[in-house]
Amino acid sequence: MNLSKVNQKLLKLGALTVGTFVLFTSSAKVLASTPGQTNNKSMLLAQASRQEWRICEQKGENWSEVKYFESKNYFANICRNSNGQLTLVAGAKSNPNQLLELPVTGEQGYLAIDGSKTFMIDNTHFSMAINGMVVRKEQVTYRGQ
């Protein structure tokens, strides 16, 4: 493999990692809040709230859920709108009323860009990068379709 192809593969891997972590550190202070400590009782609350966090259909009758993800502190919906466009709608579990909503691209995962911030989610991780540097990354703990 020549150096150019190696560099391209490393760039793609870096973008995927950065994007996953970027997903959950907010562009509009959505994901910037620090969640509180959890205990067994709050975990039951988190499970009870899952339906509230699955919000694609709440956006309108022409919206549908493509995928749903959760990590310890965040939730993310990949929604399809009436134009067929994929949209990331995500937030912190500690503040579910403040949402990040961005158009999505991606084949190996879902990538959303907001200025210098890149949010990425795939079946294993959420991540956020600022100016290409991963600043937050969490493991996906729940996936739904």
Side-chain angles (χ1 to χ4, degrees), residues 83-102:
N83 297 329
Q85 170 69 42
L86 294 180
T87 301
L88 166 69
V89 182
K93 290 180 178 180
S94 62
N95 191 4
N97 294 322
Q98 194 172 29
L99 298 172
L100 171 70
E101 189 171 324
L102 296 169

Side-chain angles (χ1 to χ4, degrees), residues 85-126:
Q85 170 69 42
L86 294 180
T87 301
L88 166 69
V89 182
K93 290 180 178 180
S94 62
N95 191 4
N97 294 322
Q98 194 172 29
L99 298 172
L100 171 70
E101 189 171 324
L102 296 169
V104 170
T105 60
E107 295 175 15
Q108 297 293 327
Y110 301 97
L111 182 69
I113 300 171
D114 184 24
S116 63
K117 296 177 182 160
T118 304
F119 301 89
M120 181 67 187
I121 187 165
D122 62 24
N123 286 332
T124 59
H125 290 93
F126 289 111

